[in-house]
Amino acid sequence: MELSKRLARVQPSATLSINAKAQQLRREGVRVVNFAVGEPDFDTPAHVKQAAVQALHFDRTRYTPVSGIPELKQAVCDWIRDFYGLNYSPSSVLVSCGGKHAIYNVLQAILNPGDEVIIPAPYWVSYPEMVALCDGVPVIVDCDFEKDYKLTPALLENAITDKTRLVILNSPSNPTGCYYDRDELVELVAVLNKHPHVTVLSDDIYSHILFNNRKWVNVAMVDETMLPRTVIIQAVSKTYAMTGWRIGFAVGPEEIISAASTVQSQSTSNPCSIAQWAAIAALRGDQTCVARMAEEFENRCQYLVERLRQIPGVKCVEPQGAFYAFPDVSAFYGKKYDGIVVRNSVEMAEYLIDKANVAVVPGSAFGNDRCIRLSFALSWNELEEGLNRIDTALKALR
Ligand SMILES: Cc1ncc(COP(=O)(O)O)c(C=O)c1O
């Protein structure tokens, strides 16, 4: 059967397929250490689960307004005010089925065929594919290891054309953990101020998982003139260990939010009613669970990076947030095992799963073939065991 031509430009999610392979091996009884996970290994807080149970008891089980219940939209505004120091009204908020869905709705709402979207690489796997699905043109900008994989003002300036509609910033980043501090954002905004036709999609979904006492900041916070052309993406997924509940938000100029709501109204309608009530409990409830989780990720991060850097040939930027490390393993490319040469990140991931039963995601999925992505949303035992296996496997390559 002939399928849509649009789909020919889109790859299936590599992270989901590696995870599936790891799960299959586990079902076969193999002890796999899965560094490919993209979600916190903590339980959703008890008070959030309780709110969902209560929502069921109160029969909050019908359609809700397409863009979310007013109580949740107000909770998002209050949460953003407290955390960002920015004031939004509920009409600036769209509640979607996860941050991913929120991004997709916004892209559908603002992109015309041929519009360019600047995506610094390494990037989150879905950005270029979603842009392509919306008939936009992903403009990938390679960022250097030496600059902690961050977009510099010069790289940004170089990438902007008359057709640029959007630039996507993701801090702290999946997959590198890189974080833009205030000074770096001020410099990027100085470039953006010369190009008022460019809007920023600020994917902030790891904002609450920050290390080394970093303070939260994004483009709109360093310069409020950016507010009319910044769309913030947030979600309860990573911050409150609620990946399966599928609640995320787009927050920004009313015109864009209203258009994105129209997209949602003709595709999914409202996100799950019960999950929306649970999200209110997450945003308004006790926040100590968030700090505890971030502290635990920071400790694991230190251990992981230290162990990786002890392996001769591995280079790794120190993550400043989120729960991923992105080591450069390209020094091992060209080396062999059982007569087979490992030539790139996909073959490295295959080698590690086949020979060491360790699942990682190839860096090529994130636009950098020199690296592999390791999540540290794993128990300490698994972290230690997995790193022992990686250490042995890499040293076995000749
Ligand atoms: C950078 C980034 N943005 C957005 C998302 C989507 O999150 P959600 O699960 O809320 O859809 C993810 C999930 O992995 C992510 O890493």
Side-chain angles (χ1 to χ4, degrees):
M1 189 204 284
E2 196 180 334
L3 298 175
S4 145
K5 293 196 176 49
R6 204 182 309 113
L7 265 186
R9 286 179 254 140
V10 177
Q11 304 286 324
S13 167
T15 35
L16 298 183
S17 65
I18 299 275
N19 248 322
K21 187 160 184 183
Q23 275 161 14
Q24 174 65 26
L25 280 171
R26 276 186 177 158
R27 275 196 292 277
E28 290 164 11
V30 179
R31 227 188 117 216
V32 175
V33 178
N34 189 2
F35 283 101
V37 284
E39 58 187 345
D41 55 323
F42 301 95
D43 290 333
T44 300
H47 66 276
V48 175
K49 292 190 263 196
Q50 193 50 41
V53 171
Q54 226 171 13
L56 272 172
H57 282 312
F58 289 146
D59 281 322
R60 306 218 198 259
T61 54
R62 298 183 184 272
Y63 290 135
T64 75
V66 165
S67 60
I69 52 177
E71 293 86 343
L72 176 53
K73 293 208 257 180
Q74 187 59 55
V76 172
C77 295
D78 295 348
W79 186 79
I80 296 244
R81 183 200 57 221
D82 294 347
F83 190 59
Y84 288 69
L86 298 175
N87 289 308
Y88 288 97
S89 66
S91 52
S92 299
V93 178
L94 167 65
V95 184
S96 299
C97 306
K100 196 176 211 170
H101 187 217
I103 296 169
Y104 187 71
N105 288 330
V106 169
L107 294 178
Q108 278 288 0
I110 65 178
L111 292 183
N112 281 310
D115 279 354
E116 294 177 358
V117 178
I118 295 174
I119 303 174
Y123 47 72
W124 179 49
V125 286
S126 294
Y127 298 141
E129 311 304 327
M130 288 205 232
V131 168
L133 269 175
C134 297
D135 293 328
V137 179
V139 176
I140 307 300
V141 178
D142 285 321
C143 300
D144 290 339
F145 174 88
E146 284 70 27
K147 301 274 184 202
D148 290 349
Y149 294 122
K150 284 186 262 194
L151 184 66
T152 61
L155 286 173
L156 175 61
E157 180 75 68
N158 245 338
I160 294 176
T161 71
D162 290 349
K163 292 194 184 140
T164 307
R165 180 73 184 89
L166 200 66
V167 51
I168 300 183
L169 292 178
N170 173 218
S171 168
S173 142
N174 175 7
T176 65
C178 85
Y179 157 88
Y180 292 84
D181 65 24
R182 180 170 284 274
D183 293 345
E184 288 161 338
L185 290 175
V186 166
E187 286 184 352
L188 292 179
V189 167
V191 175
L192 291 167
N193 281 341
K194 289 192 263 168
H195 304 279
H197 63 292
V198 180
T199 295
V200 175
L201 186 109
S202 186
D203 183 348
D204 301 347
I205 77 162
Y206 294 100
S207 58
H208 286 66
I209 309 174
L210 282 178
F211 310 149
N212 303 318
N213 295 318
R214 301 276 184 185
K215 293 274 168 287
W216 172 242
V217 64
N218 82 351
V219 272
M221 292 161 71
V222 301
D223 183 347
E224 293 212 357
T225 66
M226 285 300 297
L227 278 172
R229 53 190 182 116
T230 301
V231 180
I232 292 172
I233 301 296
Q234 271 291 358
V236 291
S237 315
K238 318 282 178 173
T239 306
Y240 299 99
M242 292 177 69
T243 46
W245 299 73
R246 311 310 300 132
I247 296 290
F249 317 106
V251 183
E254 280 180 29
E255 202 183 358
I256 295 179
I257 296 303
S258 159
S261 304
T262 303
V263 175
Q264 181 159 300
S265 75
Q266 298 296 9
S267 47
T268 58
S269 295
N270 64 273
C272 168
S273 57
I274 298 155
Q276 290 190 62
W277 286 99
I280 296 176
L283 300 180
R284 292 216 185 273
D286 183 3
Q287 302 293 305
T288 47
C289 54
V290 179
R292 219 179 308 121
M293 203 163 65
E295 193 185 327
E296 176 63 16
F297 281 137
E298 179 163 1
N299 291 335
R300 292 183 199 171
C301 178
Q302 268 170 11
Y303 173 72
L304 178 98
V305 172
E306 218 173 278
R307 288 282 317 262
L308 286 171
R309 285 178 174 169
Q310 280 165 9
I311 306 173
V314 175
K315 294 196 299 180
C316 191
V317 163
E318 191 179 336
Q320 300 298 321
F323 41 79
Y324 312 100
F326 200 57
D328 183 326
V329 291
S330 59
F332 296 89
Y333 296 172
K335 297 193 176 190
K336 287 186 198 163
Y337 68 101
D338 299 347
I340 304 169
V341 185
V342 173
R343 289 167 302 183
N344 51 44
S345 63
V346 170
E347 291 178 2
M348 178 59 86
E350 279 167 5
Y351 168 61
L352 290 174
I353 190 94
D354 291 344
K355 293 290 165 186
N357 296 140
V358 165
V360 301
V361 188
S364 56
F366 306 93
N368 183 321
D369 198 33
R370 304 170 70 84
C371 298
I372 51 177
R373 191 196 72 174
L374 272 62
S375 160
F376 40 90
L378 305 182
S379 70
W380 281 95
N381 281 345
E382 282 185 305
L383 265 187
E384 188 180 5
E385 172 65 23
L387 285 161
N388 291 343
R389 291 187 196 180
I390 290 175
D391 186 283
T392 308
L394 289 180
K395 286 176 179 162
L397 288 168
R398 301 271 167 235

